[in-house]
Amino acid sequence: MTSESETRASGYAWYVLGILFLVYILNFIDRQVISILAEDIKRDLGLKDEDLGFLYGTAFGVFYSLFGIPLGRLADSWNRVRLMTVGLGLWSTMTALSGLSSTGAHLAAARIGVGVGEATASPSAYSLISDYFPKKLRATALSIYSAGLYVGGGCSLFIGGLIVQSWNRAYPQGGPFGLAGWQAAFLAVGIPGLVLALVVATLREPIRGAVEGLPEPEKHPAPFRAFLDELMTILPPFTLIGAARLGMRALLVNLAGLAVTVALVALLLALGEPLPQWLAIGIGVYAVFSWACALRHRDLPTFRLIVGTPAFLCTVVAYGLNAFLSYAAGFWAAPYAMRDLGVSAAEAGLILGGQGAVSGFLGVTVGGLIADRLRRRNPAGRLILVLLGATLPVPFMAAAFTTSTPIVLYVCLFGAQFFASWGLGGAAATTQNLVLPRMRGTATATFFIGTTLLGLALGPYLAGRVSTLTGSLSTGMLSLLLTVPVTVAAGIGAYRLVPAAERTREDRARAAGEVI
């Protein structure tokens, strides 16, 4: 017999999910709008394709990843509603300030601010949803929330394209205060988030673990001190101080990781790669290494259930490489349509935005429903959707970025995004089920390391870099398909390992010192 609370969610839970869905829509509008503005930004600021990939992916993604970890820990120990409210206000403000940028460096600084603010959203939201919805509905609920990714991405293209084309037509020499169309678009999409932050602040904070019948964890006595301590383990050069606090051996291990990272970045620079991209990636890789080493010392149960669980890592890598292709296609589709196929900004924004919102929403929702159904019969059933999401989009992607006909591009991108989004809900729910309730914010932050450092910080940039070197955006996108075999291997590994890891979750946590 199962109680109603184990199979159903309250009306208020669905209301909260609706508000969080709106937050995620704004999250991706602010993140993605740069895609439809890319051609104008490139012209006005004198940038190259690789620079655009850096601005969209790396400048945002690396700092989103880094701050996501300490902010994820803060979501585990402090009020998640308040954290999301502050974060929404911050990233909305930084998006608006992007519209005042006059150089690539200024825009990069604003994008970093957007990344830091947005790092509060999903750790808080995933944790809230997991405490409002029972296990049997969790993948569905997370999929609905995650659909905001595609709706927001689609709306950003439509809104951005409409604003930039209308503004440039009305003010060909620059509008009020000398603003160009792309600058006006940033301002227009940033301001509504400040209003939504007031609504988010009214949501109720649920009791952690109550929906699973678990006792409420003790409240952390000093959540912000813990947040600062966590920041010391991940933000260079304070990472060295954080490591030194743990002892000489920890400091030596940290220095060894730093030395290896510096050597690899130096090698890439010697091969002619640009400094900003690989310096940022190097900072991200070293910071994550430093954080993982510190987590092992300070919270062994969390380390064992996240970093020390191969099933968790395989899930992160599998979906992270899926995002590698998805983020690149999502960013470069509009510039490809405008540059290679002669489509206007308004048309590209309307059609690509509309079909992207519909295909992504349908795909992630359908994928979540199928994942939950498969999970009832097979403990690893959700991973089937991750594997399908990595393989089914490949022929659509190849056709989309080799066509010379806009309609073929639109249809193929619809199919690619529909199937690629199948795996998101299942992957997210899998990572949540592999950890204890008090660890969910940290687990979410770790999950998003894969989708940002692997996907967002590398996919759009590498496509742009290959495009710069070859003079072909099509070649840049097609080169990314070489990662698909690695994605499939990681997905198969997760499929084989997840059932045992989930079944032994509490036992492994107790063995690491957790009191349950």
Side-chain angles (χ1 to χ4, degrees):
M1 298 289 293
T2 58
S3 67
E4 186 174 343
S5 65
E6 292 176 318
T7 58
R8 299 183 64 182
S10 68
Y12 187 76
W14 290 104
Y15 166 74
V16 171
L17 180 61
I19 297 300
L20 297 180
F21 175 68
L22 292 177
V23 171
Y24 211 36
I25 287 175
L26 275 184
N27 184 301
F28 266 81
I29 287 177
D30 293 353
R31 183 187 307 192
Q32 188 77 17
V33 70
I34 193 174
S35 172
I36 197 69
L37 311 178
E39 293 297 284
D40 283 12
I41 294 172
K42 179 181 179 180
R43 181 195 64 237
D44 290 353
L45 302 185
L47 305 178
K48 296 180 288 188
D49 280 352
E50 62 193 59
D51 299 323
L52 294 173
F54 172 80
L55 285 170
Y56 170 72
T58 313
F60 172 93
V62 168
F63 290 90
Y64 178 88
S65 298
L66 298 194
F67 280 84
I69 293 171
L71 288 169
R73 293 283 284 180
L74 188 58
D76 285 336
S77 59
W78 191 53
N79 188 292
R80 293 160 287 185
V81 170
R82 293 177 187 171
L83 180 60
M84 179 176 286
T85 301
V86 172
L88 176 55
L90 173 60
W91 91 62
S92 299
T93 300
M94 297 306 293
T95 299
L97 289 177
S98 298
L100 303 180
S101 300
S102 58
T103 67
H106 292 166
L107 186 52
R111 292 288 293 173
I112 289 171
V114 174
V116 173
E118 290 197 7
T120 64
S122 286
S124 300
Y126 274 46
S127 184
L128 286 169
I129 290 169
S130 294
D131 279 326
Y132 268 118
F133 288 85
K135 278 187 177 182
K136 289 188 176 182
L137 291 175
R138 198 164 288 157
T140 300
L142 287 171
S143 293
I144 292 172
Y145 166 75
S146 300
L149 180 163
Y150 302 101
V151 176
C155 289
S156 73
L157 297 182
F158 170 69
I159 294 170
L162 185 63
I163 291 173
V164 73
Q165 186 160 306
S166 300
W167 187 277
N168 289 343
R169 184 183 298 119
Y171 306 106
Q173 303 303 318
F177 307 106
L179 295 177
W182 63 269
Q183 293 175 307
F186 275 125
L187 289 166
V189 300
I191 293 172
L194 300 175
V195 178
L196 184 58
L198 300 177
V199 178
V200 172
T202 67
L203 299 179
R204 296 198 299 262
E205 179 81 4
I207 298 174
R208 298 177 193 267
V211 74
E212 296 182 41
L214 297 173
E216 182 179 6
E218 293 185 9
K219 294 187 182 298
H220 198 289
F224 286 96
R225 182 181 300 173
F227 167 73
L228 291 175
D229 288 342
E230 195 78 19
L231 204 60
M232 293 281 283
T233 69
I234 200 167
L235 190 63
F238 300 111
T239 48
L240 297 176
I241 299 174
R245 289 178 176 178
L246 301 175
M248 182 56 67
R249 181 178 179 182
L251 178 59
L252 292 175
V253 170
N254 191 286
L255 287 171
L258 176 60
V260 171
T261 304
V262 169
L264 290 175
V265 171
L267 176 61
L268 288 168
L269 297 181
L271 294 173
E273 287 296 300
L275 175 63
Q277 167 70 17
W278 297 107
L279 177 61
I281 293 293
I283 290 172
V285 170
Y286 162 68
V288 172
F289 171 80
S290 176
W291 165 78
C293 291
L295 181 65
R296 184 171 188 173
H297 282 270
R298 295 187 296 105
D299 190 347
L300 186 59
T302 299
F303 176 87
R304 289 280 173 81
L305 265 59
I306 297 178
V307 183
T309 299
F312 191 104
L313 298 181
C314 284
T315 303
V316 169
V317 171
Y319 191 75
L321 289 177
N322 178 306
F324 177 87
L325 290 175
S326 297
Y327 276 124
F331 178 68
W332 288 113
Y336 180 77
M338 295 163 65
R339 186 187 310 174
D340 290 32
L341 306 184
V343 176
S344 68
E347 179 184 335
L350 175 62
I351 299 179
L352 289 174
Q355 65 88 15
V358 173
S359 63
F361 180 85
L362 290 176
V364 76
T365 305
V366 169
L369 291 170
I370 296 174
D372 277 340
R373 288 183 178 275
L374 291 176
R375 174 67 173 75
R376 295 171 193 170
R377 299 192 297 268
N378 178 357
R382 288 170 175 158
L383 279 306
I384 295 174
L385 273 297
V386 177
L387 283 164
L388 291 175
T391 53
L392 294 180
V394 172
F396 293 95
M397 291 272 289
F401 286 96
T402 53
T403 185
S404 58
T405 307
I407 187 63
V408 175
L409 173 70
Y410 303 147
V411 171
C412 288
L413 284 176
F414 185 98
Q417 190 151 278
F418 175 76
F419 290 119
S421 59
W422 273 14
L424 179 52
T430 296
T431 60
Q432 295 290 291
N433 288 346
L434 288 172
V435 300
L436 300 177
R438 77 167 183 87
M439 305 170 183
R440 284 179 178 147
T442 306
T444 304
T446 308
F447 175 64
F448 276 90
I449 287 174
T451 60
T452 49
L453 281 184
L454 283 178
L456 184 56
L458 287 177
Y461 168 77
L462 289 176
R465 177 62 172 159
V466 174
S467 174
T468 298
L469 294 173
T470 63
S472 169
L473 187 50
S474 175
T475 302
M477 282 301 304
L478 294 177
S479 67
L480 303 187
L481 298 179
L482 296 174
T483 62
V484 172
V486 181
T487 312
V488 171
I492 292 173
Y495 180 84
R496 292 179 175 176
L497 295 170
V498 160
E502 190 172 332
R503 187 173 59 250
T504 61
R505 182 184 71 171
E506 281 79 7
D507 292 339
R508 290 183 294 114
R510 289 191 190 97
E514 185 79 3
V515 178
I516 302 177

